[in-house]
Amino acid sequence: PGHHQKQHQQQHTSINPEVVRKVMGQSKGIKAILLQQKHNDNAAVSGVGNWVADEVLYQSKMHPDQKYLTKEQAEDLLQKLHGILEIAVQCVEGDSFPKEWLFHYRWSQGKNVKDAFGRTITKLKSGQRTSAIVSSIQKLIKSQKPSKVEKPPKEKQSLTLTPDSDETSGINSNQMLDSKSLSRKRKMVIISPAGSGMGEETCGQTGLSKNPIPPAKSGVRRRSPRFPS
């Protein structure tokens, strides 16, 4: 009593694509997802109240047991969630909720309860809670199948080479290389012991090249070849 009705408008909110992805394609009923209080990496929301979940689903015209939401359904539902919570906070100062909300009628008892538009409200169990729905507009689509969920692109690993690095041969110090390109630039130099008959082998991008070193004569000490550093 004494509360006045105020016109509230739900503003369009930019929805995080990662949250949309978490809501989409889940095999769990959407109301159970909205009510989930446990926080983990797959949680889409931090758990809303039972009446808030009913209001969001009512305004989204979605059945509480609906599974495998499409991208469009997930975005619309999250927009409704943001708008309802925003208006609910505004009403803390004394304004009453919009008269067309399910909130005003969901608490009524009896078999012939109607919403603001004269549609019948029924009760059912969903997400282990009692749900108030208008079945004429909140229909369960059992044929809806999982939709393809686009995963966020993986960040490309990069490495900055400094002038003092051993990897900078033929590479500018400011050049960025990913790990695959860098591995192709690496070279391994193997110097064989003197008198072994083997030569220097350089493992590069194009294969192996050999520079034979003649074997030392008997009784003659041979020094290992020196290579510029």
Side-chain angles (χ1 to χ4, degrees):
H3 291 182
H4 60 279
Q5 184 69 40
K6 183 179 178 180
Q7 293 295 327
H8 298 280
Q9 291 185 349
Q10 296 182 6
Q11 298 181 356
H12 183 81
T13 304
S14 178
I15 303 299
N16 188 334
E18 180 66 14
V19 179
V20 174
R21 186 184 67 81
K22 289 180 178 181
V23 172
M24 288 176 58
Q26 294 218 32
S27 59
K28 185 188 299 184
I30 183 59
K31 181 166 184 180
I33 295 173
L34 293 174
L35 294 176
Q36 182 177 338
Q37 298 287 340
K38 295 181 179 179
H39 180 73
N40 54 52
D41 292 340
N42 294 322
V45 296
S46 297
V48 300
N50 192 38
W51 78 262
V52 174
D54 281 357
E55 191 69 49
V56 171
L57 295 171
Y58 170 73
Q59 294 190 24
S60 300
K61 299 180 180 180
M62 188 176 298
H63 194 280
D65 292 334
Q66 186 63 57
K67 305 175 182 179
Y68 305 126
L69 270 61
T70 64
K71 182 180 180 181
E72 292 73 19
Q73 288 174 325
E75 289 177 340
D76 180 65
L77 179 135
L78 292 170
Q79 284 285 352
K80 294 291 195 305
L81 174 59
H82 276 269
I84 289 168
L85 293 177
E86 183 179 355
I87 292 176
V89 171
Q90 295 173 12
C91 292
V92 170
E93 299 178 356
D95 298 328
S96 59
F97 292 155
K99 61 182 181 180
E100 67 273 12
W101 277 22
L102 180 69
F103 175 86
H104 297 290
Y105 311 94
R106 71 178 306 279
W107 316 102
S108 303
Q109 302 296 323
K111 296 182 178 180
N112 196 26
V113 181
K114 308 286 186 180
D115 69 354
F117 304 97
R119 299 172 296 204
T120 301
I121 298 174
T122 57
K123 303 288 181 68
L124 54 82
K125 283 281 186 179
S126 179
Q128 300 181 345
R129 299 294 299 274
T130 299
S131 300
I133 72 166
V134 175
S135 57
S136 61
I137 62 171
Q138 294 175 257
K139 298 182 181 296
L140 179 61
I141 307 174
K142 294 183 179 180
S143 61
Q144 196 155 295
K145 302 299 181 182
S147 55
K148 185 177 180 181
V149 179
E150 297 180 0
K151 295 183 178 180
K154 294 183 179 179
E155 295 184 0
K156 191 174 183 180
Q157 294 182 350
S158 59
L159 178 65
T160 303
L161 299 180
T162 63
D164 295 332
S165 172
D166 292 337
E167 313 273 13
T168 56
S169 177
I171 306 172
N172 294 331
S173 60
N174 294 326
Q175 187 175 1
M176 300 292 288
L177 296 175
D178 59 29
S179 57
K180 187 174 180 180
S181 299
L182 181 60
S183 64
R184 291 200 298 265
K185 291 290 183 180
R186 289 176 175 166
K187 292 185 178 182
M188 180 187 302
V189 178
I190 305 172
I191 303 176
S192 303
S196 64
M198 297 177 63
E200 174 197 352
E201 296 184 351
T202 303
C203 302
Q205 181 178 356
T206 57
L208 298 177
S209 61
K210 296 183 178 181
N211 298 319
I213 301 175
K217 295 181 180 181
S218 178
V220 179
R221 184 177 179 182
R222 189 177 188 85
R223 293 183 180 180
S224 299
R226 294 186 179 181
F227 295 90
S229 58

